[in-house]
Amino acid sequence: MGSLIRFLNGPQCLFCIKRFTNFDITFHIHPFHRQLRGKKKLGKAAAGMVNVQLLEDVPGYGPKGSVIPVAPGRMRNIFYPRKKAAYVTQEVLRDLKKREVVMERDFTFGMKNLENEGSSDDQDAMDMPGRPRSVNIQMDLLSPQKALELIESILPDIIPFYRTPISNPEPKTRLEDVAIYGSVSVVDIAEELKSALGATDEGARVVIEPEDIKIIDDEGRGAEAEGDRIKVLGDFTVEIRVKNGGEVKRIQPLNNPSFHQDNINKMATAILSRKTGVIAGDDVQKLFKYCQEKKFAIPAINVTSSSTIVASLEAARDAKAPIILQVSQGGAAYFAGKGVANGKQEASITGAIAAAHFIRAVAPIYGIPVVVHTDHCAKKLLPWLDGMLDADEKYFKEHGEPLFSSHMIDLSEEPVEWNLETTAKYFKRAAPMKQWLEMEIGITGGEEDGVNNEDVDNNALYTQPEDIYNIYKTLSEIGPYFSIAAGFGNVHGVYKPGNVKLHPELLGKHQSYVKEQIKGAEDKPVFLVFHGGSGSTKEEYKTAIEYGVVKVNLDTDLQYAYLTGIRDYVLNKKDYILSQVGNPEGDDKPNKKYFDPRVWVREGEKTMSARVKQGLSDFNTAGQL
């Protein structure tokens, strides 16, 4: 449930904005004019920064060979992958400290100099060895009118903030009467504005600080909507202050038709009998139907350990979104342990069951609905599915629902007739438990988890409408709890732009054909699934969701995201993890707090969780609870 901050078509007043010519936009969030001079800063990175050595001239940072502090995120995501800089070892840092070398970023490097750079004495001083070089630079002031235009064109009309109500509101409760856990402050708003503006080079030139923002209490909510803090749900007008000779400009707030007072009772959880934890049966069907109505899809995250599970749950909880956690045959075997034999799928069966029980145990404390799913089960892996269905039926006898919310059977490499016949056989076993079954028709290209379709004919990647209708007709006679992963050019993995040609518009043709054949009233009678989602564009996701996709698989991007956190930790703490005792701070200093797996594994969880949040935003899943 969310408290919404409404922004206007443009800001309501003016403020002064400065920039350096060709200024690097990434540092717009933090003040960067502070110079680090004292000996305490020699050979040492600023708080929250990491020291790196530039491998090439970088405007706004310094010449090749310079050792400077930069933000870890910039190094991790830009400088290191593009070979612009390398991490600096502790030995090098100690040497620089002995030589009293000041390591600081040169904001003027590569910038436009003034014609008069100062006297010859100043020039001589700048050229003295061991002294930081500084030059005058051209300051280009952005006009207030230009600032207004940038903010108006870049900022959305509405930016949501999601907060949990202190108590469950009754129907028809006024939003302003619903208190929330954790207020929304002008600091929170400023950070969201910076993030939105920083998405473009032009917008990143705009400087907004908390003191430039004021919350306007148009509806007289008093202390619950003070000038710098919001404590209840609802829509609020925000004044962005921009200085211009003392003049303050304001415009009337826009009407916001997208959020109504009864929305409290219309979020996804309102339709579910079980609000948190693992859901099954009718709740899964209701959730997927709600996805189609509200035009969002749920990311399905391939999990392989308790660590990847909690990283995913954490992201969904923070984004107020449902989530699908799925295990593949290989991921399930890994969950049981790579040292366990798997000749008869025993490790994969045991690992999948263990993962399902673990998710059922921890999911409720995250306060979100979770679908437990199993991924691609090809013909050769059917014994794995048989073993899991045995566990489902046992669990069903004891609890009235299957252990897993759903399974996927993927016989897309087989003849269509055999695919459908075998899928129907398994669906007849799952349907009495109201267990969801996902099937695939049309091959997903690429390679994933031992299933390799890299060399298939491209025509096989596109499913025909007649096949979709035939599947729908056959499975509907058994039960309503099924979805179809239809091929529209999907490929597992991440490939160079242009190498994969997705045609999500084909999904619309599938829906229209089925609707016509069954003479139905619904425009989207089929629940569709998007496989091979990593690397796809937001527009492709949006189009697919418009045509009834309710689930999008994410795996490759998340594997890499998990790696980056651990990789960067190891690189940054290398001299603290080479031995149990002894580090740059002293030969007798213990290193346990650095090599404890809970420390460095957690770094992988953080970066994976951030990427899951991105998916929840891309698929419009965030804020649906």
Side-chain angles (χ1 to χ4, degrees):
M1 196 56 222
S3 171
L4 298 180
I5 307 300
R6 182 195 302 128
F7 292 93
L8 315 179
N9 260 346
Q12 292 84 50
C13 43
L14 303 174
F15 71 136
C16 177
I17 304 172
K18 299 180 179 180
R19 73 172 178 87
F20 288 115
T21 304
N22 297 325
F23 182 68
D24 188 316
I25 66 171
T26 302
F27 286 81
H28 73 281
I29 294 178
H30 303 291
F32 41 75
H33 296 99
R34 185 182 307 149
Q35 296 187 1
L36 310 179
R37 296 292 184 193
K39 282 197 174 184
K40 290 183 179 180
K41 300 296 183 182
L42 296 175
K44 195 172 184 180
M49 308 291 270
V50 58
N51 285 320
V52 304
Q53 185 170 33
L54 297 179
L55 302 179
E56 61 181 60
D57 291 348
V58 182
Y61 287 86
K64 179 180 179 180
S66 301
V67 177
I68 62 170
V70 299
R74 170 155 288 269
M75 181 60 178
R76 178 172 63 246
N77 299 321
I78 300 176
F79 280 11
Y80 189 80
R82 298 178 184 177
K83 295 183 170 53
K84 287 180 176 289
Y87 289 94
V88 178
T89 64
Q90 288 296 326
E91 290 80 4
V92 173
L93 290 177
R94 282 195 293 267
D95 179 64
L96 293 173
K97 186 174 182 180
K98 289 178 182 178
R99 292 191 285 128
E100 297 190 352
V101 175
V102 177
M103 290 178 288
E104 64 178 8
R105 174 181 168 186
D106 185 353
F107 292 94
T108 67
F109 180 75
M111 302 301 182
K112 183 179 179 181
N113 294 343
L114 292 172
E115 292 183 5
N116 181 8
E117 295 193 41
S119 67
S120 58
D121 291 340
D122 294 334
Q123 188 64 44
D124 292 341
M126 286 192 296
D127 292 337
M128 289 177 61
R131 189 177 171 114
R133 184 176 183 274
S134 63
V135 277
N136 294 319
I137 61 171
Q138 180 76 39
M139 292 294 293
D140 183 10
L141 297 181
L142 199 64
S143 71
Q145 185 57 41
K146 180 62 176 177
L148 291 172
E149 293 174 0
L150 286 172
I151 295 176
E152 182 175 356
S153 62
I154 296 174
L155 286 183
D157 295 333
I158 299 170
I159 294 182
F161 287 83
Y162 303 106
R163 296 293 187 270
T164 301
I166 292 178
S167 60
N168 291 325
E170 297 296 326
K172 300 188 181 303
T173 300
R174 297 187 311 160
L175 294 183
E176 55 266 31
D177 293 335
V178 181
I180 57 175
Y181 286 111
S183 60
V184 177
S185 69
V186 291
V187 175
D188 299 325
I189 299 169
E191 289 302 314
E192 287 294 325
L193 288 173
K194 292 175 184 178
S195 177
L197 289 166
T200 68
D201 290 349
E202 285 281 71
R205 296 163 56 188
V206 178
V207 178
I208 295 180
E209 299 299 337
E211 57 267 25
D212 300 319
I213 296 171
K214 183 179 181 181
I215 300 166
I216 306 301
D217 184 13
D218 292 325
E219 300 184 16
R221 284 165 282 211
E224 303 307 323
E226 299 169 358
D228 64 349
R229 195 170 299 275
I230 296 170
K231 300 179 181 178
V232 294
L233 297 177
D235 295 348
F236 297 84
T237 300
V238 170
E239 179 181 274
I240 305 173
R241 305 192 60 210
V242 187
K243 303 175 184 68
N244 181 26
E247 180 182 2
V248 176
K249 292 186 178 181
R250 295 191 59 196
I251 63 175
Q252 291 301 313
L254 294 174
N255 182 30
N256 174 18
S258 64
F259 196 86
H260 303 285
Q261 292 194 358
D262 61 348
N263 268 16
I264 293 174
N265 306 292
K266 290 185 178 180
M267 304 309 254
T269 48
I271 63 171
L272 303 178
S273 62
R274 182 177 298 161
K275 312 297 184 183
T276 64
V278 174
I279 63 173
D282 290 330
D283 274 346
V284 175
Q285 184 186 25
K286 290 176 182 177
L287 180 59
F288 286 162
K289 193 62 184 176
Y290 188 82
C291 289
Q292 289 186 332
E293 292 173 358
K294 300 302 180 181
K295 297 182 180 179
F296 72 93
I298 306 174
I301 312 303
N302 281 72
V303 293
T304 57
S305 63
S306 61
S307 176
T308 54
I309 288 171
V310 299
S312 304
L313 290 173
E314 184 177 329
R317 177 202 63 196
D318 294 347
K320 303 297 181 192
I323 196 78
I324 299 173
L325 301 182
Q326 61 187 24
V327 290
S328 64
Q329 181 262 354
Y334 183 85
F335 203 98
K338 293 294 287 185
V340 179
N342 201 29
K344 296 181 179 179
Q345 301 298 325
E346 57 265 49
S348 293
I349 293 170
T350 301
I353 293 171
H357 280 294
F358 177 78
I359 294 170
R360 280 186 172 274
V362 302
I365 65 174
Y366 286 87
I368 57 171
V370 179
V371 175
V372 180
H373 180 68
T374 61
D375 204 8
H376 295 271
C377 180
K379 180 180 179 180
K380 63 181 179 181
L381 303 180
L382 287 176
W384 174 50
L385 180 55
D386 292 331
M388 292 187 293
L389 284 171
D390 289 342
D392 284 320
E393 290 167 342
K394 179 180 178 181
Y395 194 89
F396 182 81
K397 289 179 181 179
E398 297 176 3
H399 303 281
E401 64 183 50
L403 175 62
F404 295 87
S405 310
S406 61
H407 294 295
M408 179 192 181
I409 182 169
D410 178 7
L411 306 176
S412 56
E413 293 181 296
E414 312 305 324
V416 174
E417 295 77 11
W418 192 85
N419 178 353
L420 183 53
E421 178 185 342
T422 306
T423 298
K425 181 184 74 173
Y426 276 93
F427 191 35
K428 288 176 181 177
R429 185 175 176 184
M433 297 182 285
K434 293 188 175 181
Q435 186 176 49
W436 198 268
L437 187 67
E438 176 186 331
M439 68 88 64
E440 182 162 351
I441 183 74
I443 297 173
T444 298
E447 187 275 334
E448 181 180 58
D449 208 3
V451 179
N452 194 320
N453 293 323
E454 293 178 310
D455 299 322
V456 299
D457 186 339
N458 281 344
N459 291 329
L461 304 179
Y462 302 96
T463 306
Q464 300 304 309
E466 293 79 7
D467 290 332
I468 299 297
Y469 168 64
N470 195 23
I471 295 167
Y472 180 88
K473 181 177 182 297
T474 301
L475 299 186
S476 292
E477 294 174 356
I478 301 171
Y481 310 104
F482 67 92
S483 54
I484 303 174
F488 52 96
N490 318 57
V491 175
H492 287 133
V494 179
Y495 294 81
K496 291 182 180 180
N499 284 8
V500 177
K501 299 188 183 302
L502 292 178
H503 291 282
E505 69 277 2
L506 294 176
L507 301 179
K509 295 181 180 179
H510 298 336
Q511 297 281 22
S512 297
Y513 186 81
V514 173
K515 177 184 178 181
E516 179 184 347
Q517 295 301 311
I518 65 174
K519 296 178 173 54
E522 295 184 0
D523 292 330
K524 293 177 282 191
V526 185
F527 295 105
L528 296 172
V529 176
F530 190 151
H531 279 232
S534 294
S536 301
T537 66
K538 290 183 180 180
E539 190 59 35
E540 288 168 339
Y541 289 136
K542 181 180 178 181
T543 302
I545 292 170
E546 287 279 345
Y547 292 130
V549 163
V550 298
K551 171 178 175 278
V552 181
N553 283 15
L554 281 181
D555 186 22
T556 306
D557 284 356
L558 298 180
Q559 290 177 352
Y560 185 74
Y562 191 90
L563 164 70
T564 58
I566 298 175
R567 178 200 67 194
D568 292 350
Y569 178 86
V570 171
L571 290 172
N572 291 330
K573 302 295 184 183
K574 179 177 69 70
D575 293 311
Y576 292 81
I577 58 177
L578 292 175
S579 61
Q580 293 190 53
V581 178
N583 59 48
E585 298 175 17
D587 294 338
D588 60 344
K589 297 292 184 181
N591 293 323
K592 187 179 187 304
K593 65 180 180 181
Y594 299 105
F595 62 72
D596 186 331
R598 291 171 295 181
V599 177
W600 50 268
V601 169
R602 178 57 181 161
E603 295 304 310
E605 292 174 358
K606 290 177 182 177
T607 47
M608 177 180 172
S609 187
R611 180 60 183 87
V612 173
K613 288 180 184 178
Q614 180 184 330
L616 291 167
S617 175
D618 290 345
F619 310 152
N620 197 33
T621 330
Q624 294 292 344
L625 299 182

